[in-house]
Amino acid sequence: MTQYGFYFDNSRCTGCRTCELACKDYKDLDQTHAFRRIFDYEGGATTAAEDGTVVSTAYAYHLSMACNHCAEPACLTSCPAAAIEKDSKTGIVKINQDKCKGAKLCIDACPYGVPIFVESVNKANKCDLCSERVAAGLKPICVEACPMRALEFGDIDELRKAHPEAVDAIAPMPADSKTGPSICILKSPAAKDATDTTGAVANEKEVTGVAARKITAA
């Protein structure tokens, strides 16, 4: 089986949100819902010395993340309606909208906070890796739209071979997820390991919809 996934070049991403907006437009999502989100991660401090010099450890970077189409999706095993399916040929994880009963357990189960709840239809939904485009030999719309070419798509094993320096996670992602996410990331000089506790998501309300909700390790 091919397992499709994403490569993200954190050193290229400027946080412009073109990937997010392209997805929202293509999937006809309203302003309050998004399948791909940009996390702004910031930390450090600036200190003034007695001699007037300033020392800064401040840093900031962006993480673009959609569904990671995990090898062992926590959302799939949590769904009481068996509405979440993983394609046996591509590894793409989808929510079958005809089966979804709106139980929201997938939302709580996902360590990356990926599924969203669409109140107007009382169902959960998420990135399906633009499966209809992939089936037609095209790239997911977010990959095609990125002006900085910070996103790549393909077989995750091949992406990892092509980018051996890439890591599986950076902050604020979970440090050790048992779900086997299909993503690899090239860290920028500013990027922190997933275990980092020195920074915080600066746009938490934007990316979660509820300020108290965080992405946590499975």
Side-chain angles (χ1 to χ4, degrees):
M1 181 188 83
T2 296
Q3 174 61 66
Y4 285 127
F6 290 108
Y7 165 75
F8 171 60
D9 188 340
N10 173 234
S11 67
R12 284 179 174 266
C13 182
T14 63
C16 71
R17 290 164 171 74
T18 302
C19 57
E20 178 181 333
L21 293 174
C23 173
K24 286 169 71 71
D25 180 61
Y26 182 69
K27 293 295 185 179
D28 196 26
L29 302 175
D30 63 33
Q31 63 179 355
T32 63
H33 298 101
F35 290 165
R36 178 171 285 278
R37 291 168 289 183
I38 310 301
F39 292 78
D40 298 332
Y41 195 72
E42 302 176 4
T46 301
T47 305
E50 291 183 0
D51 62 1
T53 60
V54 175
V55 176
S56 177
T57 59
Y59 62 86
Y61 60 88
H62 313 285
L63 169 64
S64 175
M65 193 170 68
C67 178
N68 293 317
H69 301 278
C70 299
E72 302 291 339
C75 60
L76 186 154
T77 55
S78 71
C79 180
I84 302 180
E85 305 159 354
K86 185 174 176 66
D87 188 272
S88 61
K89 294 182 179 179
T90 65
I92 295 174
V93 179
K94 298 182 184 179
I95 299 179
N96 186 321
Q97 295 294 290
D98 292 332
K99 292 183 178 180
C100 180
K101 304 300 182 184
K104 301 183 183 179
L105 297 184
C106 61
I107 296 174
D108 294 331
C110 177
Y112 302 99
V114 164
I116 61 174
F117 188 71
V118 184
E119 295 83 356
S120 61
V121 293
N122 197 43
K123 295 178 184 291
N125 210 342
K126 68 171 192 66
C127 158
D128 64 358
L129 224 160
C130 290
S131 57
E132 70 288 345
R133 289 177 58 87
V134 171
L138 301 173
K139 299 176 183 178
I141 198 69
C142 58
V143 176
E144 188 170 280
C146 179
M148 300 305 294
R149 299 296 180 258
L151 288 168
E152 293 181 21
F153 150 81
D155 183 295
I156 191 61
D157 289 337
E158 294 302 316
L159 289 172
R160 286 172 176 149
K161 288 179 183 177
H163 305 284
E165 70 280 23
V167 298
D168 292 336
I170 60 174
M173 296 171 68
D176 181 24
S177 173
K178 298 177 177 63
T179 62
S182 300
I183 187 172
C184 55
I185 300 169
L186 178 64
K187 293 174 62 177
S188 68
K192 303 298 181 182
D193 293 337
T195 55
D196 179 72
T197 58
T198 66
V201 176
N203 62 328
E204 191 173 11
K205 187 67 180 291
E206 174 191 342
V207 294
T208 65
V210 180
R213 182 181 168 202
K214 300 178 183 296
I215 51 178
T216 56

